[in-house]
Amino acid sequence: MIYESSYEGLREACRNFDLRRERLAKGAIERWLEPSVGPGLSSDKLLSHIIADAMLSRMDKRLVEAKNIYLESFDIPQIELFYAMTKGYPQVPKAHDIANQYLVHELALHPKATFVEIGIGRGVQVKNVVEELAKNPGKLRDLTILAIEPDGANIATSTALLGELKDLPFAFRVITKQGLLETFTETAYADLAATAGDVVVMNSAYTIHHTVHPLGDAALRTRLFAALRRAFSPKLFTLVEPNANPDTEHLGSRLKACFEHFGTVFDLIDKSTLSPEEKFVIKEKFFGREIRDIFGTSDNYRCERHETLDSWLLRLVKAGWEPYTELGRIDVTLPTYCSASVDDGLVRLGYRGLPLLAVFAYRGDSSNNGRP
């Protein structure tokens, strides 16, 4: 366990809290608060401080009813911090690149296709896909982007960005649908599928783990995957998600999951060539908001609900998806201190022996092995 001494100190506090010994737990947790928090604070102390601060909100019954932190107004919007974060976390841009390799490969096999993007954000990943296709379009002569996105500002920004694409070797259009995926009805899915047409590829990067489900309804995401497959029958679905498991009511298990994942990520960021100030902003602002959501938000409304890659795999299989095996060589180049492994329909990207992110490539159209 990375930062083991800090973890062990907070673990005992969590155990007392789970046993309703809140007075003992509170005193123990307060000892992990730092009087001064800034770029000079070591990662183990910063992580412990963020977790302790959030846990005190829980103990003081000051739990926040969360909203998606990508939709909240902050001094620096979370979506902007996300793009800054990628500079110190090389697995994140590489995961986008790997998904794009799959997407470009499949789209180039069809004269006419629709690219469904779940959570388009600022539109950077979609723009990269279109630009790669423009270099080598294959059979593609007509491309529609169908963007599903809850944030109206992101829709405006991404639409403007994609509007800058000119002189493409295929017809090109962008259609948007504002809303949260988990709120769509079967009718809404059917309408979107009718708009998309017969040939669909689909991508979701760091979006599905934000879907909110009531306590005890752990099957929501499996139902979402099944609904997407039934409605769109995609030739390809690329899913990019972190490998972590803090979505548990047991506070001690949540703590362990956060130290394993975020502790490893903090250490990874420290390996980068970014300045101390940049590293601090990424850790305290971007990941700090995620950690505070995990520990300081009502369990009924938490936004950050990561799952392990095995859990995502099981959901995909239960929902009827099959591994996509049509792409041969995949470029998984990372800095030498990072790791990558490739299996059918799955690429793991890691550090210090721990998979941090996974890229899934699955298909919902099983006829003719997914070929057109």
Side-chain angles (χ1 to χ4, degrees):
M1 170 72 71
I2 193 168
Y3 310 148
E4 187 166 357
S5 61
S6 299
Y7 164 70
E8 289 294 339
L10 282 167
R11 185 173 70 90
E12 183 62 23
C14 284
R15 193 175 78 86
N16 282 323
F17 183 78
D18 283 331
L19 292 173
R20 301 297 188 265
R21 300 170 181 166
E22 295 190 17
R23 184 179 61 81
L24 291 174
K26 186 173 183 179
I29 288 173
E30 286 175 339
R31 291 197 291 272
W32 294 96
L33 294 175
E34 295 292 331
S36 178
V37 177
L41 192 64
S42 64
S43 283
D44 59 328
K45 291 183 178 180
L46 178 59
L47 178 60
S48 299
H49 171 85
I50 294 169
I51 291 174
D53 182 56
M55 287 174 63
L56 286 176
S57 295
R58 173 175 294 274
M59 293 180 182
D60 290 341
K61 306 298 188 293
R62 292 185 287 111
L63 293 179
V64 179
E65 180 176 324
K67 298 177 182 177
N68 188 318
I69 56 178
Y70 282 84
L71 306 181
E72 288 284 84
S73 296
F74 296 110
D75 53 342
I76 305 176
Q78 190 76 351
I79 190 68
E80 289 186 16
L81 288 172
F82 176 85
Y83 291 114
M85 174 269 296
T86 63
K87 298 176 183 177
Y89 193 167
Q91 287 85 347
V92 173
K94 176 50 67 173
H96 279 130
D97 174 65
I98 291 169
N100 290 358
Q101 292 176 54
Y102 281 108
L103 294 163
V104 169
H105 172 81
E106 182 62 36
L107 284 166
L109 297 174
H110 307 277
K112 182 177 182 179
T114 296
F115 176 13
V116 177
E117 176 75 351
I118 301 171
I120 195 170
R122 299 292 176 88
V124 175
Q125 184 178 7
V126 173
K127 182 172 183 283
N128 289 339
V129 169
V130 177
E131 288 176 334
E132 285 301 311
L133 281 167
K135 297 175 187 176
N136 187 11
K139 295 180 180 179
L140 188 65
R141 297 296 178 266
D142 191 296
L143 177 64
T144 298
I145 304 297
L146 175 54
I148 301 171
E149 166 64 45
D151 189 334
N154 281 345
I155 289 176
T157 300
S158 60
T159 301
L161 182 69
L162 296 176
E164 297 172 2
L165 296 167
K166 305 295 183 183
D167 300 321
L168 298 172
F170 41 77
F172 179 66
R173 67 195 62 81
V174 179
I175 301 171
T176 62
K177 171 68 173 180
Q178 186 172 356
L180 292 166
L181 191 67
E182 63 266 39
T183 66
F184 290 172
T185 63
E186 289 288 338
T187 300
Y189 279 120
D191 290 344
L192 287 169
T195 300
D198 294 333
V199 177
V200 172
V201 302
M202 183 177 291
N203 177 65
S204 172
Y206 313 107
T207 300
I208 305 295
H209 77 259
H210 290 131
T211 55
V212 176
H213 57 262
L215 287 174
D217 187 12
L220 170 67
R221 290 170 183 171
T222 304
R223 295 197 302 272
L224 285 177
F225 286 153
L228 290 170
R229 184 184 62 79
R230 286 194 305 269
F232 293 95
S233 297
K235 303 290 185 183
L236 168 67
F237 174 35
T238 50
L239 173 72
V240 183
E241 286 291 353
N243 174 48
N245 187 30
D247 193 16
T248 170
E249 293 182 69
H250 185 257
L251 205 58
S253 298
R254 199 179 301 182
L255 179 76
K256 184 175 185 292
C258 281
F259 261 89
E260 285 181 340
H261 182 75
F262 291 108
T264 305
V265 169
F266 277 24
D267 188 68
L268 172 66
I269 292 167
D270 286 338
K271 295 276 288 188
S272 75
T273 58
L274 296 175
S275 69
E277 291 75 18
E278 290 173 310
K279 293 175 183 177
F280 174 74
V281 168
I282 292 168
K283 289 184 284 188
E284 205 283 332
K285 292 284 188 181
F286 180 81
F287 289 111
R289 287 175 190 166
E290 293 195 345
I291 295 165
R292 288 183 172 93
D293 178 84
I294 289 168
F295 284 97
T297 300
S298 169
D299 289 337
N300 287 299
Y301 299 102
R302 277 190 294 117
C303 164
E304 296 299 328
R305 296 174 179 266
H306 305 105
E307 299 189 26
T308 65
L309 64 89
D310 289 335
S311 176
W312 291 114
L313 282 172
L314 183 60
R315 290 190 186 282
L316 288 165
V317 171
K318 283 185 173 180
W321 297 83
E322 299 178 8
Y324 181 93
T325 59
E326 304 307 312
L327 182 60
R329 182 181 177 276
I330 302 171
D331 177 10
V332 295
T333 305
L334 283 167
T336 56
Y337 54 85
C338 302
S339 62
S341 64
V342 181
D343 294 307
D344 286 348
L346 174 64
V347 181
R348 300 175 179 87
L349 304 176
Y351 172 68
R352 292 176 61 105
L354 179 70
L356 292 176
L357 301 173
V359 183
F360 305 85
Y362 273 66
R363 54 190 174 86
D365 178 7
S366 58
S367 63
N368 196 27
N369 201 29
R371 297 297 84 210

